[in-house]
Amino acid sequence: MSETAILWFRQDLRLNDLPALQAASRDDRKVLPLYILDDETPGDWSMGGASRWWLHHSLCSLAADIEALGGQLILRRGDAKKILQEVCEASGATSVFCSRRYEPWASEQELLLHETLGDHGIEFKRYGGTLLHEPGSVLTLGGGPFKVFTPFWRACQKQEVAPPLPMQCDSWSNWSKSDELASWNLLPTSPDWAEYWLDHWTPGENGAQERLHGFLDETVSSYADQRDLPAVDATSRLSAHLHHGEISPRQIWAMCEQKKLELPHTATAVNKFQAEIGWREFSYHLLHFFPAIPHSAFKENFAEFPWQPDEERLRRWQRGETGYPIVDAGMRELWATGIMHNRVRMVVASFLCKHLLQHWRKGEEWFWDTLVDADLASNGCSWQWVAGSGADAAPYFRIFNPVTQGEKFDKQGEYVRRWVPELAKLPNKYVHKPWEAPEDALAQAEIKLGTDYPEPIVDHREARQAALDAYQQIRLSNATPT
Ligand code: FAD
């Protein structure tokens, strides 16, 4: 009689290029596909609201794909260790296969599972597939972790990327004790802030593939020139699919290489896009070697930074009511769609940390709850990068000016007008600085500053100086070079 193996789905909600599935289905084993919603293990980092919304739809899609192949996705909620033991016992499964995760709590969990399941005679095996290169496989000549992106990426490019694996599973288990997905209440109600999100997103493996193909067919050639323009649909929007594992970076890599072979003139743009996938790799690599990154300053002297906690400032930033149009547009795009353009993420993050002197962790937490691509590695590393405390971070004194950033990357004010409609009628000249508009321009645009749209929450020059003074304090009080 053939044995049963559990395929424990985690952040790998796909069937293609899934090494754990290939391994589970070998030797005539029947595969029992299982997803466990484990709210307890991750501590502070249990999934945010936007991620839960995505997860609901992604699980629907995965369940349908498995059903079409003759299997059934089993859903269970609770402590992963307990549930894996229970399901093994009840179904007679003798092995558990999964993809590796890289969050510090996950590595600990995997070691524990290896021991405890092993004590019960159950084999526990984990596989890669989430990254191009496993952490630890790309190291400096001295054998240590890279702390700077460019040499890291150069070293990555010297290594082969394995080709993606085809889907393989001949036989599914018919054990079927599953929770109802609806009973998990992953979708928001009263209010349903995600009411229109399916207009923007198609969670699931098919949605991910469609997006990749659409991007490579129609958009990638302008990626290098337009990726910084938030009004233009010039980036892949694959981050949430990647985060939930609906597509693997190897699949993306292989398609990119093929694109360059077929259309060599796109090579520069495709290389740029691949380098962004490289930033994702770098973030995971940093998280692996420096697991405190999501909560502690990478550059230790920043632990002393004189932040000025202020709930009202934080609330106005979260709601997109700072009076700086590009910042408010970004924060409102995030709330309305679960995503924010990368350039604008940098601007709003810099504004929170440097203009408002709020701790980067406050922004990181807000993004964690509101982004559909919220990712412990990329979010933590990016926030520290912007705050100046991270590995290979932007120098602290490079403080984004939200007006010039808006004027440079949203010249016609299209992005601002889309998300801050009260400014829609302002002429381009003032759309990024409505406080400079003369009375008659404001009247014609039907805006009363302070009533229809806020006055700036801080004065840019004063805020900049305050940030530099704060930075000076940590430089003077701490001998560690930055
Ligand atoms: P594309 O430009 O098409 O890039 C392709 C892929 O490369 C992305 O899907 C993503 O997986 C990866 N990538 C691109 N830029 C970065 C980057 N700087 N760091 C790591 N990976 C990158 N990205 C997340 O996936 N999750 C997060 O929680 C997250 N938080 C961020 C917080 C801040 C403050 C900042 C400045 C950036 C953050 N990013 C995060 C990185 C980046 O903004 C998004 O990955 C990108 O905007 C997603 O859009 P896209 O898929 O169209 O990107």
Side-chain angles (χ1 to χ4, degrees):
M1 208 175 79
S2 58
E3 294 194 346
T4 298
I6 291 178
L7 172 64
W8 176 28
F9 281 107
R10 305 167 90 197
Q11 239 162 246
D12 52 354
L13 305 179
R14 66 179 182 277
L15 296 175
N16 292 280
D17 192 29
L18 190 55
L21 172 57
Q22 285 242 333
S25 65
R26 253 178 240 136
D27 301 327
D28 278 341
R29 277 186 291 254
K30 285 184 194 302
V31 175
L32 192 164
L34 169 70
Y35 181 85
I36 303 171
L37 180 62
D38 185 346
D39 282 325
E40 283 132 53
T41 316
D44 280 342
W45 296 106
S46 75
M47 217 180 290
S51 298
R52 282 171 189 265
W53 175 89
W54 190 286
L55 177 67
H56 175 98
H57 293 288
S58 191
L59 288 174
C60 283
S61 163
L62 181 66
D65 291 344
I66 293 176
E67 206 177 312
L69 295 167
Q72 185 194 344
L73 177 64
I74 305 299
L75 304 174
R76 298 297 287 271
R77 184 173 201 162
D79 174 60
K81 180 162 66 80
K82 252 169 60 191
I83 291 193
L84 285 170
Q85 278 174 358
E86 273 170 29
V87 176
C88 281
E89 211 166 288
S91 68
T94 52
S95 48
V96 174
F97 293 76
C98 67
S99 302
R100 183 177 172 192
R101 285 186 66 164
Y102 303 89
E103 296 87 344
W105 59 265
S107 310
E108 283 167 24
Q109 184 190 48
E110 286 160 19
L111 285 176
L112 190 69
L113 280 168
H114 189 73
E115 275 175 28
T116 46
L117 291 176
D119 289 346
H120 290 79
I122 298 160
E123 189 183 25
F124 177 77
K125 290 199 145 190
R126 59 176 198 175
Y127 293 80
T130 298
L131 297 173
L132 296 172
H133 307 286
E134 288 300 307
S137 66
V138 183
L139 296 170
T140 61
L141 286 178
F146 283 99
K147 296 180 192 159
V148 176
F149 174 73
T150 307
F152 167 78
W153 190 232
R154 220 180 285 129
C156 286
Q157 286 169 298
K158 288 188 187 140
Q159 298 199 8
E160 284 289 308
V161 173
L165 303 168
M167 202 312 266
Q168 187 194 317
C169 180
D170 299 325
S171 175
W172 300 94
S173 153
N174 56 11
W175 192 83
S176 64
K177 286 204 180 112
S178 175
D179 291 355
E180 285 293 325
L181 180 57
S183 73
W184 286 1
N185 296 322
L186 294 172
L187 299 178
T189 49
S190 53
D192 177 4
W193 37 258
E195 196 179 351
Y196 302 108
W197 282 16
L198 286 176
D199 296 347
H200 301 279
W201 302 111
T202 310
E205 188 167 7
N206 294 330
Q209 286 295 331
E210 265 171 40
R211 204 172 266 281
L212 174 64
H213 281 84
F215 173 70
L216 288 180
D217 288 347
E218 291 155 28
T219 317
V220 76
S221 52
S222 56
Y223 182 78
D225 301 332
Q226 300 202 318
R227 57 182 286 273
D228 267 325
L229 309 179
V232 181
D233 195 7
T235 65
S236 72
R237 294 191 154 230
L238 279 166
S239 52
H241 296 288
L242 268 165
H243 169 75
H244 293 271
E246 298 165 356
I247 193 165
S248 73
R250 291 199 304 215
Q251 291 173 306
I252 298 177
W253 194 263
M255 291 275 297
C256 285
E257 293 298 305
Q258 195 184 325
K259 181 85 189 172
K260 288 189 285 188
L261 279 179
E262 284 167 7
L263 296 173
H265 69 274
T266 62
T268 307
V270 177
N271 286 339
K272 181 73 194 145
F273 173 65
Q274 287 175 297
E276 294 306 312
I277 302 288
W279 274 99
R280 175 177 181 271
E281 295 280 313
F282 186 51
S283 303
Y284 272 85
H285 158 100
L286 286 174
L287 181 65
H288 174 78
F289 286 105
F290 308 101
I293 272 193
H295 52 82
S296 302
F298 182 84
K299 288 181 184 158
E300 283 168 15
N301 56 333
F302 271 82
E304 314 269 310
F305 194 89
W307 302 107
Q308 294 175 15
D310 183 327
E311 285 302 317
E312 177 58 12
R313 282 186 166 195
L314 178 64
R315 195 188 61 83
R316 283 183 62 180
W317 176 82
Q318 289 170 337
R319 293 190 173 190
E321 293 172 358
T322 66
Y324 281 89
I326 191 81
V327 175
D328 295 341
M331 299 309 293
R332 295 185 198 185
E333 178 188 25
L334 174 61
W335 186 253
T337 66
I339 203 83
M340 191 195 300
H341 188 277
N342 181 58
R343 166 61 47 184
V344 189
R345 288 189 207 202
M346 291 195 277
V347 174
V348 304
S350 168
F351 192 83
L352 182 73
C353 301
K354 296 181 181 174
H355 283 73
L356 302 183
L357 292 176
Q358 303 305 296
H359 200 301
W360 56 267
R361 278 209 63 179
K362 292 287 176 191
E364 183 195 26
E365 283 163 14
W366 183 251
F367 272 24
W368 182 256
D369 199 25
T370 52
L371 276 172
V372 285
D373 66 16
D375 182 277
L376 200 66
S378 299
N379 200 32
C381 291
S382 299
W383 271 96
Q384 291 228 35
W385 185 89
V386 175
S389 61
D392 193 16
Y396 182 85
F397 48 83
R398 196 189 296 152
I399 297 175
F400 280 130
N401 177 334
V403 175
T404 48
Q405 286 286 308
E407 288 173 344
K408 183 166 177 197
F409 296 108
D410 185 34
K411 269 200 181 79
Q412 311 296 323
E414 213 181 323
Y415 177 74
V416 159
R417 291 191 174 86
R418 189 182 303 158
W419 296 110
V420 189
E422 57 268 43
L423 301 180
K425 294 184 186 158
L426 264 187
N428 288 355
K429 190 172 168 196
Y430 302 116
V431 76
H432 290 290
K433 45 186 178 198
W435 59 91
E436 286 192 7
E439 280 305 320
D440 59 333
L442 287 171
Q444 269 179 19
E446 297 165 32
I447 301 168
K448 198 161 186 296
L449 276 191
T451 307
D452 304 312
Y453 184 71
E455 303 272 6
I457 185 169
V458 286
D459 172 77
H460 167 67
R461 285 160 73 119
E462 286 170 13
R464 184 174 187 282
Q465 194 51 52
L468 292 174
D469 292 346
Y471 179 56
Q472 197 58 17
Q473 284 186 40
I474 57 168
R475 290 194 57 177
L476 294 176
S477 71
N478 204 309
T480 316
T482 56

